[in-house]
Amino acid sequence: MPGWSSKRGRLFGLSSLVDSIDQSGEKFFQSGRLVVNTLDSFANSIQSGHRCAIDSFYAPRFVGNPLGLNTVVFDSERDGVRRAHFCQGAACRKDEALREWRAYIDSFNEIEEVSLHLHRLEEWESPDRLVTAVRFELIGTPRGELRSVTDRASFRMIWHRSEGKLQIGEQCLIEGERILCDEPHFSNVAHSAGIDFENQYYPPFLKEPLKFGMIRYGPGGISAVDYDNDGLCDLFIPDGVESKLYRNRGDGTFEDVTDKAGLSGLDGVSVATFADFDNDGFKDLFVSRTFRPNQLFHNNGDGTWRRLLHNRCRVG
């Protein structure tokens, strides 16, 4: 039957295409995960000052450029905030690249935080070579300064794979800057404002198998909304154990009204969306949850909520 043979051939071709896409996607994911884990270890070595460990992240035959970490040129100042840019030098080899990191680390009296993040996985098909754009951030107090600075930069790094591990084979600076404030511009007022709240992991995140690992790392973010129409932004904070609703008192402080509002017991919340779905003038609340039913709450207009929807869809 010619028609059946043609159809079967098309189905086989489609199946092969799907398999190829799945394999490519899995390769992309595994390559990205390897880079992320390597960058985490690299950042920890920089923060702890383990020079021998930093050495291990560079390939023996490394040839690249300095990252400009120690060539910082201040070029602007406004409202007590000074900005500088990193200047990349000429080509260097491994010993010079390591010397740059060591001098950079030694230039700080204290390093508070270091992070290296994968910004873009540009090439990943090769079995022994990965090309990435990497975001770098360091917060610390340089020698001779009274306050901490923030260094931010983007690097292009080419990695060589060897026995399941990655080493930097080439590098260059894309852009980088240092920001220094002579006086603090912000102060932490969370405790005095009544929002001394610490997010907690949703317990099933730590033991349930998940297809998407990023879900483990917390909710989508805080919602700022005027739910009671008093002209002030209130706060809803998603949480793994117990989400919170804080009412803005208008004097710089907030009141925990979660129980009073009828929103207690909301665990595993990933994100909350406020919208007036019935046009009664008050914003209603939709809550997306993991391993729990999604829920829709109607705003009664008196500071309380009424649950309307149990959506049984699960994430994970």
Side-chain angles (χ1 to χ4, degrees), residues 78-205:
R78 182 177 179 181
D79 298 328
V81 179
R82 288 185 283 160
R83 290 180 178 271
H85 65 274
F86 295 171
C87 299
Q88 179 172 268
C92 67
R93 297 192 177 274
K94 178 177 178 178
D95 58 342
E96 296 168 300
L98 295 175
R99 196 177 302 127
E100 179 183 34
W101 277 114
R102 292 165 184 162
Y104 178 65
I105 293 170
D106 289 343
S107 70
F108 288 89
N109 280 325
E110 180 185 10
I111 296 178
E112 301 170 32
E113 183 177 344
V114 179
S115 61
L116 282 162
H117 299 287
L118 174 61
H119 177 63
R120 184 179 295 112
L121 188 56
E122 298 178 349
E123 296 180 25
W124 73 92
E125 296 291 347
S126 172
D128 55 8
R129 184 176 183 270
L130 293 171
V131 181
T132 62
V134 173
R135 290 187 293 108
F136 169 74
E137 181 170 291
L138 180 143
I139 301 174
T141 306
R143 299 185 186 280
E145 298 286 355
L146 299 178
R147 299 195 178 276
S148 63
V149 301
T150 300
D151 286 349
R152 296 191 182 98
S154 296
F155 308 139
R156 177 159 287 106
M157 290 182 166
I158 299 177
W159 305 83
H160 295 169
R161 299 197 213 208
S162 178
E163 299 179 352
K165 295 183 179 180
L166 295 180
Q167 289 184 309
I168 302 169
E170 300 176 46
Q171 68 178 21
C172 68
L173 173 69
I174 300 174
E175 60 180 355
E177 68 172 0
R178 169 169 291 184
I179 301 174
L180 173 62
C181 297
D182 295 328
E183 298 291 338
H185 283 213
F186 294 90
S187 58
N188 187 350
V189 297
H191 180 73
S192 60
I195 311 181
D196 199 359
F197 180 83
E198 182 176 351
N199 277 114
Q200 302 178 72
Y201 279 113
Y202 184 38
F205 284 175

Side-chain angles (χ1 to χ4, degrees), residues 43-68:
N44 290 335
S45 298
I46 295 170
Q47 183 159 358
S48 59
H50 289 168
R51 300 185 177 194
C52 293
I54 294 173
D55 189 315
S56 68
F57 291 99
Y58 279 81
R61 296 184 179 181
F62 167 87
V63 177
N65 294 88
L67 298 174

Side-chain angles (χ1 to χ4, degrees), residues 242 244 256-265:
E242 187 177 5
K244 295 288 186 181
D256 182 352
V257 295
T258 309
D259 293 339
K260 185 190 305 183
L263 298 177
S264 59

